[in-house]
Amino acid sequence: MNLLHILLMGPPAKGGGFDIMGMLPLLLIIVVFYFFMIRPQLKKAKDQKKYREELKKGDKIITIGGIHGKIVEMNDKTFVIEVEGGVRLKIEKSAVSMEFSANLNQGT
């Protein structure tokens, strides 16, 4: 016999059928993980994707790396942003973290 057969055999069930009460704690843990960890992360990712798609030229943004800038050019997958001093940077759309004005309201 291999290890899989030994593990699957386990102790014989008293009723000879499937014991749902033994699986209940595992099912409860899975449900809790879904509603408190997985579902909020999926919602946050969906909202962030929607925000990135709605960005337009002239919007002030903050990148994931913390760079503050204003969108001056838009391409399919990239933005050109202008930072302080007139310097222009080309960044990926996925690098945009949040709107600049939203961050200022939280800080003060």
Side-chain angles (χ1 to χ4, degrees):
M1 287 192 161
N2 63 22
L3 182 61
L4 181 60
H5 284 97
I6 295 171
L7 291 174
L8 290 177
M9 284 174 51
K14 293 177 182 149
F18 182 70
D19 184 20
I20 190 72
M21 293 306 288
M23 294 296 291
L24 194 60
L26 181 62
L27 292 174
L28 185 62
I29 289 171
I30 291 170
V31 169
V32 168
F33 268 106
Y34 176 76
F35 280 107
F36 289 106
M37 296 180 80
I38 298 170
R39 191 168 179 229
Q41 287 296 324
L42 292 175
K43 185 180 183 313
K44 183 178 178 182
K46 183 181 175 184
D47 291 344
Q48 198 167 29
K49 182 180 178 187
K50 182 180 175 187
Y51 166 72
R52 287 178 184 150
E53 290 172 354
E54 293 175 352
L55 286 172
K56 59 190 178 301
K57 191 174 177 180
D59 286 348
K60 293 181 179 181
I61 60 166
I62 300 175
T63 66
I64 292 172
I67 299 172
H68 296 235
K70 183 172 106 176
I71 299 173
V72 292
E73 258 182 64
M74 296 180 70
N75 296 319
D76 289 339
K77 295 186 178 188
T78 60
F79 290 129
V80 175
I81 62 171
E82 187 173 303
V83 296
E84 192 172 333
V87 177
R88 292 181 175 214
L89 302 170
K90 185 175 188 178
I91 63 167
E92 294 289 321
K93 282 187 178 181
S94 61
V96 175
S97 175
M98 66 180 90
E99 191 175 11
F100 184 70
S101 60
N103 188 40
L104 288 179
N105 293 337
Q106 293 175 355
T108 56

